[in-house]
Amino acid sequence: MPLVSWAPLSIDHTLRGIRETVVLRLTAHHFPELVQPKEGTKGKNPVRDCTLNCKRTCYMPKLRWMASPKIEVALPACCPSLGEGPHWDTASQTLLYVDIQSGGVHQYDPQTQQESKIRLDGTVGFVVPCERGGYVVGLNRTLTHVDWKTQEVTPLVEVDVGTKNRFNDAKCDSLGRLWAGTVGFEEKPGIIDKAEGFLYSFSADQSHNVSSHLDKLYISNGMDWTDDNRTMYFIDSIPRKVFAFDFDITEGKIENQRVVVEFEKGTDATYGVPDGMCIDNEGKIWVACFGASRVHRFDPETGKTLQTLEFPCTNITSCCFGGKHLDELYVTSSQYNLKPEQGPQPMAGSLFRVTGLGVKGRAPNVYKG
């Protein structure tokens, strides 16, 4: 089935990028001392024939123009409930993701455009490849191993015993520990009466030792790390905040919690609730915004919005980079409990792919347990 696509919606960002590039090129041409080329680049990128009829020739570093993204529907309405947790499997060059409420674990092959899936007994919050083969999933409150070929399901360890909590989002750090959060019982998706969730890590061996890092969370959600492993980003959805922590990769500990992005009051229509997230090769974070039809790219140093992608359904849930060159952004969505006033949304529950962003992700880590 061919991919469905349409023109990019972030036209304002594209125009701003062109304007800034033109200004920078003119500045470099007429005032080269203000834009110094990197060492060894002089003579390799000349700017000639100025439109102002200037006869000078100067040299400047090559510029990356603002990309013009293309949004496609990779698989329409493939998740009947709450599509979530996309994870690019570099070994198989496929995308993994879950459908939480239906218990679905999905695998999408972009080359064949085919999807395969299995259904488990309960809610599934995440799926991550294991170094020893198969996948680890968050099945209800139990960390569980799944053999994809035989569909054998093996429980490993249970958390939040005696509660109605369930696993939500998860990711592995660069040493192969699994970090996974839980959420309290939901009468409806996103409606949490109490902050009863936790953030855990599981050791990078088959003992699966559990460490608790945060408690009293509403909806433990997206997370990722900087390339230098010194900072961990983490989302608790209901406060509508993205947090950062100092991260000790050796000990697997976090400290010095602070807010890097806070969604202001009155911005529900355009920012919604922060859900899943990922980080790109420039250190900027991409946050899926549930209830707002958008993925926003933020600068975690300033908290400012850098770019916005808009999708044809309300509940956007998570995102990750994938593809052969890790330059495609895969985005999941939900059609679970849509309200009548939100109107018909035939693309809700679809898997989307965004190309032409001009940035890349990195190969995701696998669980070594």
Side-chain angles (χ1 to χ4, degrees), residues 152-172:
E152 181 180 358
V153 177
T154 306
L156 302 176
V157 60
E158 184 179 359
V159 299
D160 297 2
V161 178
T163 72
K164 293 183 179 181
N165 290 6
R166 65 166 177 83
F167 271 119
N168 202 39
D169 214 340
K171 228 168 231 162
C172 290

Side-chain angles (χ1 to χ4, degrees), residues 78-244:
C78 55
C79 292
S81 69
L82 219 171
E84 261 283 11
H87 182 107
W88 181 256
D89 183 7
T90 54
S92 64
Q93 290 291 291
T94 60
L95 183 78
L96 307 171
Y97 53 100
V98 300
D99 189 42
I100 293 179
Q101 299 297 329
S102 73
V105 182
H106 298 235
Q107 183 185 60
Y108 170 66
D109 186 339
Q111 293 298 316
T112 64
Q113 298 181 28
Q114 297 298 310
E115 179 192 45
S116 57
K117 58 186 175 182
I118 61 175
R119 182 161 292 178
L120 304 179
D121 185 17
T123 61
V124 181
F126 62 84
V127 55
V128 175
C130 288
E131 186 179 60
R132 62 188 172 102
Y135 305 126
V136 64
V137 302
L139 178 59
N140 299 316
R141 293 181 304 278
T142 303
L143 187 68
T144 302
H145 183 267
V146 175
D147 186 311
W148 191 257
K149 294 180 180 179
T150 66
Q151 298 191 12
E152 181 180 358
V153 177
T154 306
L156 302 176
V157 60
E158 184 179 359
V159 299
D160 297 2
V161 178
T163 72
K164 293 183 179 181
N165 290 6
R166 65 166 177 83
F167 271 119
N168 202 39
D169 214 340
K171 228 168 231 162
C172 290
D173 65 29
S174 62
L175 291 186
R177 299 183 196 91
L178 179 75
W179 292 70
T182 60
V183 58
F185 180 70
E186 302 164 276
E187 291 288 347
K188 296 180 180 179
I191 306 301
I192 309 293
D193 291 332
K194 298 179 181 179
E196 296 181 335
F198 294 83
L199 177 65
Y200 297 104
S201 66
F202 300 84
S203 59
D205 55 50
Q206 294 190 35
S207 69
H208 314 296
N209 288 329
V210 184
S211 298
S212 179
H213 300 276
L214 298 174
D215 60 5
K216 298 181 181 179
L217 300 172
Y218 283 91
I219 302 180
S220 177
N221 232 316
M223 64 192 79
D224 217 328
W225 293 263
T226 54
D227 284 343
D228 62 8
N229 291 313
R230 299 177 68 177
T231 304
M232 177 179 177
Y233 298 113
F234 172 76
I235 291 172
D236 189 3
S237 292
I238 299 305
R240 301 180 75 215
K241 295 177 181 179
V242 182
F243 299 97

